[in-house]
Amino acid sequence: MPAETKEIDYVMEAASGPHFSGLRLDSLMSAAPSSSTSRSSSTPTTPSFSTPLVDSSVIKQPFVIGVSGGTASGKTTVCDMIIQQLHDHRVVLVNQDSFYRGLTPEELERVHEYNFDHPDAFDTEQLLDCVNELKSGHSVHVPMYDFKTHQRSKDSFRQVNASDVIILEGILVFHDQRVRNLMNMKIFVDTDADVRLARRIRRDTVERGRDISSVLEQYAKFVKPAFEDFVLPSKKHADVIIPRGGDNHVAIDLIVQHIRTKLGQHDLCKIYPNVYVIQSTFQIRGMHTLIRDQDISKHDFVFYSDRLIRLVVEHGLGHLPFTEKQIVTPTGSFYTGVDFCKKLCGVSIVRSGESMENALRACCKGIKIGKILIHRVGDNGKQLIYEKLPKDISERHVLLLDPVLATGNSANQAIELLIQKGVPESHIIFLNLISAPEGIHCVCKRFPSLKIVTSEIDVALNEEFRVIPGLGEFGDRYFGTDD
Ligand SMILES: Nc1ncnc2c1ncn2[C@@H]1O[C@H](COP(=O)(O)OP(=O)(O)O)[C@@H](O)[C@H]1O
Ligand SMILES: Nc1ccn([C@@H]2O[C@H](COP(=O)(O)O)[C@@H](O)[C@H]2O)c(=O)n1
Ligand SMILES: [Mg+2]
């Protein structure tokens, strides 16, 4: 074994390497990984499609969870419980404590005057580097901190490998906005202050080599004031507050369930919260298998496309606002339900969008449907040729129809026109069967409050701007003009 390897404590051996999926997302990484945290190697997989514009050797975005709370609130205990319950996923824990600055000899001499609960006690730049590296799919060497000597180990590190889930735990992980921005979910462990103090006295005397009077003195002088000044105000950033810490099994079960759902989602849905992929079932996969098959008959292509379109339309309608409505059933009982949103219309991008009109009409009796025709100019440019939209469109929620989202250029033109006509961006739901990642970026960056509902997100566009694996020219196949 090489000398350097011996010095590393392979605590997280189980998380044995970076994960890769079929889509490259490095252009999306929130911050370019930088260097101060040492890093070890990672190996990309081979691309699975021929000429994608976007290389398919991809780094999958991990799900980052921040866990904060006062000292001895049960943060570490809650993290351990989450890790145990997520046993079928690779999870790593990064403690903010590891990034405590080691004390200088002068500071050590007057350690009782040192405030370990102030944000400046941590090397936050190094913490940021570390999490960014992990998010980029690289392993990192995390410092090892000793609470008895108040120093970092000079020659050992803890190797943490890239994983599906990164949990970042510590009293002040919600304090710095840059650290908060790395998190997909923020949990605050809320435990009664007396309980925390009792636990802290026990822990610090048993595990951290302190005596009771020094623990109490430090608590009154630094820990409690800093909790009030920094930790408590950061609670407002939490998505979830867990009362009673590790005793709250219901909260922990719910959190684990939520993480599992998020991990099952496409990475783009984590980045753009307004992108919805209808839940995949074997029926849906089966229909995609049929319509993507180049040898399917025209009749079957239309039949299975219609079935899929209907599912996307129904899902899209579920995103419309509703009002509560109470009715009386034939048994004379009350039923409290909801009333559909009535002010809506469809807009199809001609020609392939017209294939979605029947499904929309079947779901919404008498719905008005407008049309937009956009012509491709050269490789990338788009020109609006024709539009016919309901006069009162600005008062309606719009379901924009186009079965394939490729570059996003046509969609953006159409959305731009709807906005010019007075439709609020948040009142537009774009429905399609297949989306390319490039199209999603293009549309969602420009129109972040618009919703996209799709049934599958494909790998990429090829050099001819066609979606791959895709299904070819949808309009030609649907309307039988491809012979
Ligand atoms: N629900 C609980 N009941 C009893 N003791 C607990 C509970 N949760 C944590 N502890 C104990 O309290 C101490 C602090 O908990 P810990 O999870 O390390 O808190 P934190 O990481 O927030 O400082 C530890 O000694 C731990 O064993
Ligand atoms: N050398 C040190 C460093 C930190 N502390 C205290 O640790 C607390 C944070 O750890 P938790 O597990 O309790 O979240 C913090 O309140 C510091 O006061 C220390 O005592 N000595
Ligand atoms: Mg802890």
Side-chain angles (χ1 to χ4, degrees):
M1 189 184 283
E4 189 208 330
T5 321
K6 271 195 214 140
E7 292 166 1
I8 298 167
D9 187 3
Y10 285 92
V11 181
M12 289 296 169
E13 197 56 57
S16 53
H19 274 188
F20 299 97
S21 70
L23 161 73
R24 188 178 191 102
L25 290 172
D26 12 10
S27 58
L28 301 171
M29 294 300 172
S30 42
S34 51
S35 52
S36 75
T37 309
S38 61
R39 136 187 162 183
S40 43
S41 63
S42 65
T43 326
T45 53
T46 48
S48 44
F49 294 96
S50 50
T51 50
L53 266 187
V54 181
D55 186 342
S56 56
S57 55
V58 194
I59 297 163
K60 189 174 172 166
Q61 284 272 306
F63 193 78
V64 183
I65 306 165
V67 179
S68 187
T71 180
S73 55
K75 299 182 292 297
T76 306
T77 308
V78 164
C79 293
D80 287 346
M81 291 172 79
I82 293 174
I83 290 169
Q84 271 181 20
Q85 290 193 29
L86 279 172
H87 56 86
D88 54 345
H89 289 282
R90 295 190 291 182
V91 189
V92 288
L93 179 62
V94 177
N95 305 92
Q96 190 181 26
D97 295 345
S98 306
F99 298 89
Y100 266 119
R101 299 174 195 280
L103 297 199
T104 62
E106 300 75 44
E107 287 168 337
L108 262 180
E109 266 181 31
R110 300 160 64 145
V111 67
H112 297 298
E113 290 167 30
Y114 193 87
N115 188 350
F116 289 103
D117 292 76
H118 191 278
D120 292 346
F122 298 95
D123 186 343
T124 301
E125 301 303 318
Q126 195 185 12
L127 171 76
L128 279 163
D129 283 351
C130 165
V131 181
N132 274 320
E133 284 290 299
L134 285 171
K135 283 191 81 165
S136 314
H138 301 124
S139 308
V140 290
H141 291 170
V142 171
M144 293 178 74
Y145 184 76
D146 185 340
F147 287 91
K148 290 184 181 159
T149 61
H150 316 287
Q151 297 292 358
R152 293 176 178 191
S153 169
K154 285 199 173 59
D155 47 16
S156 0
F157 299 91
R158 182 168 72 102
Q159 170 154 326
V160 177
N161 290 328
S163 287
D164 297 338
V165 181
I166 301 165
I167 306 184
L168 179 56
E169 174 258 337
I171 49 171
L172 289 170
V173 289
F174 298 165
H175 176 73
D176 188 308
Q177 190 187 354
R178 296 167 303 163
V179 182
R180 284 200 307 274
N181 286 348
L182 297 173
M183 298 169 182
N184 300 98
M185 181 187 197
K186 297 187 245 358
I187 300 171
F188 190 91
V189 183
D190 205 6
T191 305
D192 176 80
D194 296 346
V195 175
R196 290 194 291 106
L197 176 57
R199 287 181 188 166
R200 169 123 178 182
I201 293 169
R202 195 172 47 223
R203 183 192 64 191
D204 285 7
T205 51
V206 174
E207 294 170 23
R208 294 187 181 176
R210 315 281 168 87
D211 56 53
I212 296 184
S213 64
S214 79
V215 176
L216 291 177
E217 192 187 320
Q218 184 191 6
Y219 189 83
K221 197 167 169 187
F222 295 121
V223 182
K224 189 168 185 289
F227 176 78
E228 280 156 12
D229 289 348
F230 304 112
V231 184
L232 204 50
S234 74
K235 183 175 164 183
K236 65 173 176 282
H237 300 294
D239 305 304
V240 183
I241 294 169
I242 311 188
R244 307 182 307 285
D247 291 336
N248 195 334
H249 293 271
V250 174
I252 290 164
D253 282 354
L254 286 170
I255 289 165
V256 169
Q257 196 48 49
H258 179 77
I259 298 166
R260 286 218 176 98
T261 310
K262 289 285 168 190
L263 285 172
Q265 280 184 354
H266 196 282
D267 294 335
L268 288 172
C269 302
K270 292 186 212 155
I271 297 162
Y272 300 115
N274 284 336
V275 175
Y276 300 89
V277 183
I278 64 175
Q279 189 164 8
S280 183
T281 62
F282 286 121
Q283 278 293 311
I284 290 173
R285 288 291 281 179
M287 288 187 262
H288 266 279
T289 312
L290 286 163
I291 65 169
R292 289 166 183 276
D293 187 341
Q294 61 176 355
D295 295 327
I296 193 178
S297 68
K298 187 213 166 219
H299 179 269
D300 282 353
F301 180 83
V302 172
F303 181 81
Y304 290 107
S305 296
D306 284 346
R307 272 187 67 190
L308 268 173
I309 290 168
R310 179 73 182 252
L311 290 173
V312 171
V313 168
E314 292 279 10
H315 191 109
L317 292 170
H319 287 279
L320 292 169
F322 57 84
T323 46
E324 199 177 284
K325 185 178 182 185
Q326 201 173 54
I327 50 104
V328 182
T329 71
T331 65
S333 323
F334 287 105
Y335 175 85
T336 307
V338 295
D339 199 8
F340 292 132
C341 163
K342 303 222 168 50
K343 280 285 204 182
L344 74 155
C345 71
V347 172
S348 52
I349 300 182
V350 178
R351 168 181 63 148
S352 53
E354 292 174 310
S355 65
M356 302 175 80
E357 292 178 2
N358 282 345
L360 186 57
R361 285 201 183 91
C363 296
C364 310
K365 244 186 320 159
I367 188 171
K368 286 195 172 178
I369 298 188
K371 301 201 188 259
I372 295 177
L373 174 62
I374 291 156
H375 179 61
R376 185 185 293 179
V377 189
D379 277 350
N380 232 342
K382 299 278 165 175
Q383 193 185 343
L384 178 73
I385 299 287
Y386 170 80
E387 47 112 333
K388 183 143 181 62
L389 301 170
K391 284 201 176 58
D392 59 350
I393 193 161
S394 63
E395 293 157 31
R396 294 173 184 267
H397 286 260
V398 176
L399 295 153
L400 182 63
L401 312 173
D402 195 354
V404 179
L405 168 60
T407 60
N409 291 330
S410 306
N412 277 358
Q413 275 265 352
I415 297 160
E416 197 67 71
L417 175 70
L418 295 173
I419 290 171
Q420 268 171 29
K421 298 275 175 191
V423 182
E425 189 184 309
S426 59
H427 286 196
I428 305 171
I429 304 176
F430 180 25
L431 306 180
N432 62 68
L433 290 186
I434 295 176
S435 291
E438 291 86 339
I440 291 179
H441 295 312
C442 180
V443 173
C444 292
K445 277 193 185 139
R446 185 137 163 222
F447 306 108
S449 35
L450 162 144
K451 290 191 175 82
I452 295 181
V453 175
T454 187
S455 63
E456 283 195 352
I457 298 179
D458 272 15
V459 172
L461 297 181
N462 68 10
E463 281 151 0
E464 288 151 2
F465 301 100
R466 288 160 72 99
V467 182
I468 52 168
L471 45 57
E473 284 299 325
F474 187 94
D476 283 341
R477 295 184 74 191
Y478 192 93
F479 295 110
T481 47
D482 55 344
D483 304 324

